[in-house]
Amino acid sequence: MAFYFSEASHTFGEYLLVPGYSSADCVPANVSLATPLVKFKKGEKPKITMNIPMTSAIMQAVSDDKMAIALAKEGGVSFIYGSQSIAEEAAMVARVKTYKSGFVNSDSNIKPTTTLAEILALKDSTGHSTMAVTEDGTPTGKLLGIVTSRDYRVTRMTEDTKAEVFMTPFSKLVHADAHTTLPEANDLIWKHKLNMLPLIDKNQRLRYMVFRKDYTDNKENELEIIDDKKRYIVGAGINTRDYAERVPALLRAGADVLCIDSSEGFSEWQRTTLQYIHETFGEDVKVGAGNVVDRAGFRFLAEAGADFIKVGIGGGSICITRETKGIGRGQATALIDVIKARDEYYEETGVYIPVCSDGGIVHDFHMTLALAMGADFMMLGRYFSRFDESPTDKVRINGTYLKEYWGEGSNRARNWQRYDLGGDKKLSFEEGVDSYVPYAGSLKDNINITLSKLRSTMCNCGALTLPNFRRDAKLTLVSSTSIVEGGSHDVILKDKFSSRD
Ligand code: IMP
């Protein structure tokens, strides 16, 4: 007879935290959200610690190099999506590792012969009004001038006027050598009242741009996570098919941590992949695995050598796995079960394997609950897809700004390796949808709000660190009637009325 779990499967929205005693020093400013990303032995330090418990999902619509840089600045880690060619994925990793904070690679480049009409179209598509005029129109070509919106007047010029007529020519530009440091560049910007300082090499080729508006940003990332060469930490997704070629390419590009991206991780494929990587490249190469939803799955991956383990099947916002295949488990129940297995394993072996709660976070407080239940960090797709930094298009529909967001198991992504159970190299049916999410602005602004709620709740529960939070948290399952009580109720919200009579 089949095995039946005794408890019903619950999700985050069915739980609440009960506050604990808060002492006077228990204030948000004193809270640390530091958390291990990879496994470590009792008494030792993990090779990678994040300063916030957030990773961005291994998805085409979420994690490219731009997202990775933005998230590392805030203290979390992105896993660059693996459903692209090995060369493309490695190039994204390399761009994160070579990124110099404050030094921008020009993304709007034109030739002297580019027309005003073309310049306006480029400005619309990139949103950037400062354009480098290079000899060959490439980001690193010989710099001949700069065009900004102050150089042209659309009403007084014809659309076919060429950039060379109105650009600020190189002879009139304040510029500096490519080796200039950020503080030196900022001094020049202030001294000459510039908006942007181009840095060039000895052949007058453009290397970077340093913008005045980034100045405060460059000073404000106190939680950023960097390696010993001061480069941003970045992760990369891999699969259980082409790891022999993909892994060395990603490591050469500088990936700090890898993660097997799979909808279901309790499989021989994952064990073979983990063992191959650790035997070939050494234990120092860190690889996460998953996803699992019970103790047996955790134990299996722990023994196979996983450096962190992801929990979650069927709870993702774009996921239709439960509908199509009838597999999965409520995210909260799955997480609680796996956390018990992690703690038992730690007791037995002295090895702590971080657990990641992957998918299904709808409200900010769901993250707080996941951490209270014992997750070391979360992986989020929908959450990050809404921000400026996600790779997808921002569109306006019926007056509302939206961003595109699609699952790796949708026909759009066609990430068949994620659902690999051997057999053909194709998706035989979809496990994800193609969708829109409401556009929400910048990553930094949103993360700040989310984390201030988290810190505040931790203080209500008397915890200043994540380990203390999960040790002391008191959680209660709520009835469906009390869930209704949780929102505003029995009042008429004012924003339903446009004006008073
Ligand atoms: P979200 O944060 O709720 O949007 O969930 C993101 C997570 O959903 C990812 O980290 C993956 O684990 C999972 N996922 C990504 N694409 C698909 C898909 O097409 N089907 C099912 N799950 C997916």
Side-chain angles (χ1 to χ4, degrees), residues 57 59 291 310 315-319 321 358-361 379-382 405 407-410 418-419 431-432:
M59 297 174 71
N291 285 8
K310 287 204 290 137
S317 57
I318 32 48
C319 177
T321 298
D358 177 15
I361 298 288
M379 180 168 273
L380 307 132
R382 192 197 60 88
Y405 179 43
E408 287 294 296
S410 67
R418 190 168 192 277
Y419 302 90
E431 291 197 37

Side-chain angles (χ1 to χ4, degrees), residues 18-34:
V18 175
Y21 169 72
S22 322
S23 60
D25 65 341
C26 208
V27 292
N30 291 341
V31 169
S32 160
L33 297 176

Side-chain angles (χ1 to χ4, degrees), residues 196-269:
M196 187 276 292
L197 176 75
L199 303 189
I200 53 166
D201 68 12
K202 57 182 186 326
N203 298 318
Q204 204 177 308
R205 294 174 74 88
L206 180 61
R207 292 293 304 278
Y208 301 107
M209 293 170 158
V210 180
F211 287 87
R212 179 195 193 92
K213 69 175 172 48
D214 290 342
Y215 178 69
T216 34
D217 183 40
N218 297 332
K219 297 201 328 182
E220 268 176 9
N221 302 313
E222 51 190 33
L223 292 180
E224 66 183 12
I225 48 166
I226 48 177
D227 64 17
D228 50 8
K229 294 189 184 125
K230 294 194 167 26
R231 302 173 306 178
Y232 285 123
I233 300 278
V234 63
I238 57 170
N239 63 67
T240 53
R241 286 260 177 159
D242 64 11
Y243 49 84
E245 296 87 46
R246 194 173 288 268
V247 170
L250 294 172
L251 295 177
R252 272 197 304 277
D256 297 279
V257 53
L258 307 170
C259 183
I260 306 174
D261 178 29
S262 168
S263 65
E264 203 269 289
F266 196 171
S267 75
E268 186 175 342
W269 311 102

Side-chain angles (χ1 to χ4, degrees), residues 369-424:
L369 289 170
L371 295 164
M373 288 168 184
D376 294 277
F377 57 94
M378 280 81 57
M379 180 168 273
L380 307 132
R382 192 197 60 88
Y383 179 83
F384 286 111
S385 69
R386 300 169 304 145
F387 304 154
D388 290 320
E389 292 81 356
S390 79
T392 71
D393 285 340
K394 180 170 128 192
V395 294
R396 197 165 163 205
I397 300 178
N398 297 337
T400 308
Y401 283 105
L402 305 166
K403 293 238 353 172
E404 294 189 297
Y405 179 43
W406 61 93
E408 287 294 296
S410 67
N411 259 328
R412 178 159 182 184
R414 304 199 69 77
N415 181 359
W416 61 268
Q417 293 97 329
R418 190 168 192 277
Y419 302 90
D420 194 12
L421 293 170
D424 286 351

Side-chain angles (χ1 to χ4, degrees), residues 474-486:
K474 295 181 285 185
L475 288 137
T476 179
L477 255 178
V478 288
S479 70
S480 44
T481 325
S482 70
I483 292 178
V484 175
E485 185 188 66

Side-chain angles (χ1 to χ4, degrees), residues 436-487:
Y436 292 116
V437 287
Y439 164 67
S442 80
L443 177 143
K444 190 183 187 74
D445 291 347
N446 282 277
I447 280 198
N448 279 340
I449 295 169
T450 301
L451 296 181
S452 60
K453 291 182 199 165
L454 168 60
R455 290 189 184 97
S456 173
T457 312
M458 285 172 64
C459 289
N460 294 138
C461 297
L464 288 175
T465 63
L466 290 174
N468 288 355
F469 186 38
R470 58 174 168 264
R471 184 195 63 199
D472 299 339
K474 295 181 285 185
L475 288 137
T476 179
L477 255 178
V478 288
S479 70
S480 44
T481 325
S482 70
I483 292 178
V484 175
E485 185 188 66

